[in-house]
């Protein structure tokens, strides 16, 4: 385990209930506003996912695409977003979410070292399946940064086991066969997928994609170790009339999500 | 080369350091399934016979190798041959790939086909194959491309396909690929994604290259029987690189044959408005592959430009990146203006209206005619015909008053 992986793992254990991980896109609608959203989220979150915008986000639906576009037009650079993490990382661990080209373009070593200096604990790269990115993973390990693997409902059992072997903190389970921004169905298919994942993977399982309401949060919290909300927060920020209202939306939603998780069983402690 | 491509009956997933599978986990299983199905059917004589029969009698293969005496006279070159992919059913080489993949998808039990298209030729070819084989078809096309390749939009609809406009980005080929991949991630269980060029995550580049290799295999044999020798130079345009890899592969081992790929120079390299990823990009990841890419220092993919929708793409297939770095293929670019001039020249001198994409390959004749002539016959891949470009070229050349 990397140092980052241990900090993430501790966040699951310290929560005392299923972990809540909100997503903030760095630079949306501009850097200062997103720094305020990050601070608001950090007042409630157990772990924060901080997005670095990318021009061609293949795993994202229209909401995150549009927010990323807006952030890029407002001039967001990856290093600015990484620096933002430092403001909260001391209290709430931060994982960066971006696409592999952003890391390759900076150079994996430079990217990971910069992230480590900002106190970042991990990175989520939805276009880096477990069989790719050997050098990137080496550099992350050296810098003490966890590379969070993803699992999907279409992932077979053997591969789930391989993903579990890569886990360093948690495994990001994609709740829907699809991109971000849809609406999750907490049904037998999802339960079946999480059951299969549970059987193959020892690390905590956090579930994201399509989780929109505190009711969804509670329903997912009952079957997973962590709950991730992204597009819905972006949507609320986008719909708010003023920057202050946007900040309040983030704060209120995160508080409600944490409330919805209260009393549910936490992730099993690490062996 | 063959040991690079095939290991223990597996398909290559890398060309040197290029290629790979940089895609969401959701579609990894589908890529494995596709690899397995392709390997199995490729060796199946019944599948081969069915595909070959369609290529002969439906597509019209083999396509002719045509000696272009008008172009020889125009450019002062002793021998110019055109490989006439423009005579394929639906008007471009794209059908070689689309038919193979749609036939495979039908054997795999897929009910629905999706594709991206830039020039509309791949969309038309896929819609055609889907109509022939009775599958549903949905084609993603950038809004800008729908306007400049309007005829092909109507053709796809006539063939029963749904054309979904893409408004993200600037509405060209890159954006259509993004949307097609997102659809595939969502509907992967019953949908096959027919990628239109030798690009994307493995195994696509290899499958498309193999399906397009028929171009070079035929051309090499035709050249030998016509001329009794190999060409001195083989020229093809590069969008994602499928017609080029299709004609180059047969000649890769022939050291004496120079291979030249022509990228979109757009408004000129210095303008920054071009599609020359091999000439002026840096390696990076887009659309599931590690390959040369037009991008900012931050790693954001930049918007390319070309008068030709089929070359208006910021990436390129990974094998071309490998062939660039090894030096086996020389990659150059031709501007919009050079392509338009070549378009006119071929139309007037040969009575063949070429696609704007193919006109980029033809443009090399004007620029390097004398030098090319010194090394022997020049073989140009005429990847498609220009019917689709009548509107756009008519406007560009003021023929549409
Ligand atoms: C006629 C024609 N030639 C060439 C291309 C470029 O694609 P590729 O580089 O894959 O051959 C296209 C793409 O739309 C095309 O329609």
């Amino acid at each position: 385990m990397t140092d980052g992986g241990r900090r993430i793992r501790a966040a699951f254990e310290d929560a005392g209930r299923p972990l809540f991980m909100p997503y903030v896109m760095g630079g949306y609608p501009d850097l200062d506003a997103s720094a305020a959203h990050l601070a608001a989220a950090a007042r409630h979150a157990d772990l924060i996912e901080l997005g670095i915008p990318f021009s061609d986000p293949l795993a994202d639906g229209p909401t995150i695409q549009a927010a990323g576009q807006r952030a890029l037009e407002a001039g967001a650079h990856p290093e600015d977003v990484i620096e933002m993490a430092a403001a909260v990382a001391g209290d709430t661990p931060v994982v960066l979410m971006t696409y592999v080209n952003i890391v390759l373009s900076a150079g994996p070593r430079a990217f990971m070292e910069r992230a480590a200096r900002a106190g970042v604990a991990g990175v989520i790269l939805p276009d880096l399946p477990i069989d790719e990115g050997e050098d990137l993973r080496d550099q992350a390990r050296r810098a003490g940064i966890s590379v969070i693997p993803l699992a999907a409902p279409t992932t077979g059992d053997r591969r789930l086991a391989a993903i579990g072997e890569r886990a360093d903190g948690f495994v990001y389970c994609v709740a829907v066969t699809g991109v971000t921004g849809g609406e999750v169905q907490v049904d037998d298919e999802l339960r079946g997928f999480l059951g299969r994942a549970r059987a193959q993977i020892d690390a905590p399982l956090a579930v994201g994609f399509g989780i929109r309401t505190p009711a969804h949060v509670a329903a997912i919290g009952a079957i997973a170790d962590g709950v991730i909300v992204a597009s819905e927060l972006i949507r609320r920020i986008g719909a708010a009339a003023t920057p202050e209202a946007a900040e309040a939306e983030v704060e209120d939603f995160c508080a409600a999500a944490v409330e919805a998780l209260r009393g549910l069983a936490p992730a099993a402690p690490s062996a | 080369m063959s040991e690079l491509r095939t290991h223990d009956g597996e398909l290559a997933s890398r060309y040197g350091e290029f290629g790979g599978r940089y895609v969401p986990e959701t579609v990894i299983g589908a890529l494995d399934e596709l690899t397995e199905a392709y390997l199995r059917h490729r060796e199946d004589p019944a599948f081969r016979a069915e595909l070959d029969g369609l290529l002969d009698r439906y597509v019209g293969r083999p396509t002719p190798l045509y000696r272009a005496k008008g172009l020889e006279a125009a450019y002062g070159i002793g021998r110019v041959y055109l490989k006439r992919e423009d005579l394929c059913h639906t008007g471009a080489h794209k059908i070689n790939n689309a038919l193979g993949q749609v036939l495979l998808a039908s054997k795999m039990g897929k009910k629905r086909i999706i594709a991206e298209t830039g020039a509309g030729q791949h969309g038309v070819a896929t819609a055609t194959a889907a109509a022939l084989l009775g599958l549903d078809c949905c084609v993603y096309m950038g809004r800008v491309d729908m306007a400049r390749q309007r005829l092909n939009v109507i053709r796809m609809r006539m063939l029963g396909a749904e054309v979904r406009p893409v408004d993200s980005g600037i509405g060209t080929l890159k954006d259509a690929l993004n949307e097609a991949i997102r659809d595939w991630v969502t509907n992967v269980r019953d949908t096959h994604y027919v990628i239109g060029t030798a690009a994307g995550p493995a195994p696509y580049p290899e499958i498309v290259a193999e399906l397009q290799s028929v171009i070079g295999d035929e051309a090499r044999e035709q050249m030998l029987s016509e001329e009794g020798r190999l060409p001195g130079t083989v020229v093809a345009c590069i969008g994602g690189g499928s017609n080029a890899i299709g004609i180059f592969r047969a000649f890769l081992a022939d050291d004496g044959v120079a291979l030249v790929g022509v990228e979109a120079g757009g408004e000129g390299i210095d303008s920054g408005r071009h599609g020359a990823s091999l000439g002026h990009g840096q390696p990076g990841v887009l659309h599931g592959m590690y390959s040369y890419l037009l991008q900012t220092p931050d790693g954001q993919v930049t918007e390319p430009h070309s008068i030709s929708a089929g070359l208006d793409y910021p990436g390129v297939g990974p094998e071309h990146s490998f062939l660039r770095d090894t030096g086996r293929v020389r990659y150059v670019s031709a501007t919009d203006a050079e392509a338009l001039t070549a378009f006119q020249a071929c139309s007037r001198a040969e009575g063949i209206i070429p696609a704007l994409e193919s006109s980029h390959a033809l443009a090399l004749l004007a620029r390097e005619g004398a030098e090319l002539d010194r090394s022997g016959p020049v073989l140009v891949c005429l990847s498609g015909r220009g019917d689709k470009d009548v509107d756009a070229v008519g406007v560009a050349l003021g023929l549409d008053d």
Side-chain angles (χ1 to χ4, degrees):
Chain A
M1 242 193 206
T2 58
D3 173 62
R6 269 190 294 276
R7 280 153 59 210
I8 292 167
R9 186 67 198 245
F12 277 85
E13 289 172 15
D14 295 348
R17 51 167 166 70
L19 165 143
F20 177 58
M21 174 161 121
Y23 171 94
V24 173
M25 177 174 285
Y28 171 72
D30 57 55
L31 274 180
D32 289 345
S34 63
H37 302 154
L38 183 66
R43 286 194 279 276
H44 302 279
D46 306 301
L47 184 63
I48 290 194
E49 186 179 6
L50 176 60
I52 302 176
F54 176 53
S55 55
D56 295 81
L58 275 186
D60 286 307
T63 305
I64 294 186
Q65 280 175 51
Q69 208 47 49
R70 174 91 184 266
L72 291 175
E73 280 158 16
H77 294 288
E79 59 272 22
D80 302 334
V81 177
I82 295 171
E83 303 308 333
M84 282 174 57
V88 298
D91 299 318
T92 312
V94 174
V95 296
L96 296 171
M97 139 83 208
T98 191
Y99 286 79
V100 67
N101 198 52
I102 295 292
V103 180
L104 295 181
S105 154
R109 177 163 174 192
F111 184 96
M112 297 303 167
E113 287 177 353
R114 186 186 293 273
R117 278 198 303 276
V120 165
V123 294
I124 298 171
L125 301 167
D127 58 347
L128 190 77
I130 52 165
D131 359 62
E132 297 287 357
E134 208 176 313
D135 176 49
L136 185 155
R137 290 172 198 284
D138 272 354
Q139 298 301 340
R141 205 172 302 122
R142 266 177 224 177
I145 302 257
S146 162
V147 180
I148 309 293
L150 289 94
T154 50
T155 307
D157 289 350
R158 279 234 314 273
R159 200 168 158 88
L160 283 173
I163 288 169
E165 274 158 34
R166 292 269 191 186
D168 177 19
F170 75 101
V171 171
Y172 190 134
C173 294
V174 173
V176 297
T177 302
V179 295
T180 59
E183 181 155 350
V184 70
Q185 303 293 326
V186 185
D187 55 10
D188 287 348
E189 193 185 336
L190 179 58
R191 278 188 210 98
F193 163 47
L194 292 177
R196 288 193 302 116
R198 196 70 89 187
Q200 304 295 336
I201 298 171
D202 291 330
L205 306 179
V207 174
F209 280 42
I211 300 173
R212 301 180 60 166
T213 63
H216 287 151
V217 171
I220 299 288
I223 53 176
D225 306 315
V227 185
I228 305 164
V229 175
S231 298
E232 180 60 22
L233 280 167
I234 302 274
R235 207 169 357 245
R236 283 166 184 255
I237 290 168
T242 63
E244 295 72 32
E247 212 179 310
E249 282 286 347
V250 173
E251 176 114 34
D252 294 350
F253 187 92
C254 291
V258 167
E259 198 48 44
L261 293 170
R262 230 174 269 293
L264 296 173
S270 47
Chain B
M1 288 302 296
S2 62
E3 72 277 11
L4 173 79
R5 293 203 286 270
T6 333
H7 309 273
D8 308 328
E10 280 180 26
L11 288 178
S13 60
R14 295 245 168 211
Y15 308 87
E17 64 181 313
F18 300 105
R21 302 196 297 184
Y22 297 89
V23 288
E25 174 64 28
T26 307
V27 297
I28 290 287
L31 292 173
D32 286 342
E33 182 197 3
L34 174 62
T35 304
E36 187 276 323
Y38 178 72
L39 285 171
R40 189 156 37 82
H41 285 95
R42 187 180 62 170
E43 306 307 326
D44 174 3
F47 181 84
R48 221 33 273 183
E50 191 173 353
L51 181 55
D52 288 345
L54 287 171
L55 289 175
D56 285 0
R57 287 181 288 279
Y58 188 72
V59 174
R61 303 210 70 91
T63 59
L65 182 76
Y66 165 75
R67 183 165 166 207
K69 292 188 179 158
L71 291 174
E72 289 172 358
Y75 297 125
I77 305 175
R79 290 279 199 279
V80 173
Y81 286 90
L82 303 179
K83 178 60 175 165
R84 298 289 308 274
E85 293 301 297
D86 61 313
L87 293 176
C88 288
H89 179 44
T90 70
H93 69 294
K94 297 286 181 185
I95 191 81
N96 303 326
N97 166 49
L99 201 55
Q101 281 200 51
V102 175
L103 185 63
L104 180 65
S106 74
K107 304 291 178 206
M108 291 168 72
K110 301 287 180 185
K111 301 278 178 276
R112 178 172 177 266
I113 294 297
I114 58 172
E116 86 296 337
T117 198
Q121 288 302 122
H122 175 59
V124 166
T126 305
T128 297
L132 175 71
L133 297 166
L135 300 179
D136 287 342
C137 180
C138 170
V139 180
Y140 288 90
M141 189 169 191
R143 187 81 71 175
V144 169
D145 290 342
M146 285 179 72
R148 60 179 164 172
Q149 309 279 220
R150 194 176 52 93
L151 245 48
N152 274 345
V153 174
I154 298 169
R155 287 170 82 194
M156 287 184 267
R157 290 181 177 146
M158 285 172 173
L159 291 160
E162 179 193 353
V163 181
R164 287 202 188 153
V166 176
D167 288 311
S168 59
I170 53 167
T172 59
L173 181 54
K174 173 190 80 143
D175 311 302
L177 258 133
N178 285 338
E179 271 320 295
I181 294 174
R182 290 185 186 114
D183 179 314
W184 196 43
V185 168
T186 306
N187 299 296
V188 60
R189 289 191 167 97
D190 69 348
T191 297
H192 175 69
Y193 174 28
V194 181
I195 201 166
T197 188
Y204 279 108
E206 191 59 26
I207 290 178
V208 176
E210 287 197 6
L211 291 169
Q212 291 292 5
S213 291
V214 64
I215 304 172
D217 291 344
E218 286 176 9
R220 193 172 192 283
E221 206 169 290
Q222 288 166 323
M223 200 73 199
L224 285 172
S225 75
E226 193 100 352
E227 279 279 323
R229 57 177 167 162
L230 292 171
T233 310
V234 180
V235 188
C237 68
I238 309 270
S242 70
N243 86 91
I245 205 68
I247 198 163
F248 288 167
R249 272 207 173 170
F251 301 99
L252 282 175
D254 301 313
D255 290 338
V257 179
L259 305 174
V260 186
V262 185
E263 300 190 282
E267 293 172 8
I269 298 302
D270 294 339
S271 73
R273 290 175 50 75
H274 59 81
S277 40
L278 289 161
H280 301 275
Q282 261 72 46
V285 170
L286 178 70
H287 297 147
M289 60 181 167
Y290 182 67
S291 197
Y292 277 88
L293 180 62
L294 296 175
Q295 54 183 320
T296 69
D298 278 354
Q300 310 294 353
V301 181
T302 53
E303 304 294 356
H305 169 82
S306 173
I307 191 173
S308 129
L311 306 189
D312 199 350
Y313 182 59
V316 65
E319 192 169 3
H320 288 293
S321 290
F322 175 72
L323 294 169
R324 170 200 187 276
D325 281 7
T326 60
R328 177 62 187 95
V329 179
R330 179 165 64 98
Y331 295 93
V332 300
S333 62
T335 62
D336 291 352
E338 287 177 288
L340 277 170
T341 303
F343 180 102
Q344 277 286 68
C346 184
S347 302
R348 300 262 171 98
E350 294 295 344
I352 296 172
I353 299 178
L356 272 174
E357 290 78 16
S358 323
S359 301
H360 285 71
L362 292 168
L364 196 76
L365 300 176
R367 190 174 332 141
E368 297 187 3
E371 296 109 275
L372 295 177
D373 187 42
R374 254 175 256 132
S375 47
V378 182
L379 168 61
V380 180
C381 186
L382 194 69
S383 56
R385 59 181 181 240
D387 307 31
K388 69 186 178 59
D389 297 315
V390 162
D391 275 351
V393 176
V395 170
L397 297 180
L399 307 173
D400 191 21
D401 55 13

